[in-house]
């Protein structure tokens, strides 16, 4: 599980096996047992949520949008280089 960043107690990561065929760029987020998945496109889009509140999801979405280039770079380096 390569970690991309940690911010405000959230850990942003992806799994080394992200589907066959490979799913589009996305990031998983975990904090205190809650887990979410966001697609990383022009704007972050929630794909799955288990346990985060609406307020937390909005905060996570903002963090993903602010760090989308870092996330995409890590994704591409891991899966394509």
């Amino acid at each position: 599980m390569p970690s991309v960043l940690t911010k405000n107690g959230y850990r942003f990561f992806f799994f080394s096996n992200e589907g066959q065929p490979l799913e589009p760029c996305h990031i998983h987020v975990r904090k205190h047992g809650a887990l979410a998945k966001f697609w990383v496109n022009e704007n972050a889009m929630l794909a799955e949520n288990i346990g985060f509140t609406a307020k937390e999801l909005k905060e996570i979405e903002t963090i993903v949008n602010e760090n989308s280039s870092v996330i995409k770079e890590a994704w591409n380096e891991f899966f394509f280089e």
Side-chain angles (χ1 to χ4, degrees), residues 5-78:
L5 67 116
T6 303
K7 185 158 186 171
N8 299 346
Y10 300 106
R11 185 170 70 90
F12 296 80
F13 64 95
F14 51 84
F15 294 101
S16 57
N17 179 4
E18 286 288 4
Q20 203 54 286
L22 182 66
E23 292 185 340
C25 184
H26 61 277
I27 196 77
H28 298 271
V29 186
R30 186 180 305 259
K31 183 177 182 180
H32 302 302
L35 180 66
K37 174 180 174 180
F38 280 83
W39 298 112
V40 182
N41 296 310
E42 245 179 65
N43 293 302
M45 187 169 144
L46 180 65
E48 298 173 11
N49 175 39
I50 302 169
F52 284 116
T53 66
K55 182 180 177 183
E56 289 171 318
L57 291 170
K58 185 64 180 164
E59 180 181 14
I60 295 166
E61 180 181 340
T62 299
I63 295 169
V64 172
N65 283 328
E66 289 173 349
N67 293 279
S68 64
S69 61
V70 171
I71 295 166
K72 289 176 187 177
E73 183 177 324
W75 178 274
N76 289 328
E77 283 179 7
F78 188 83

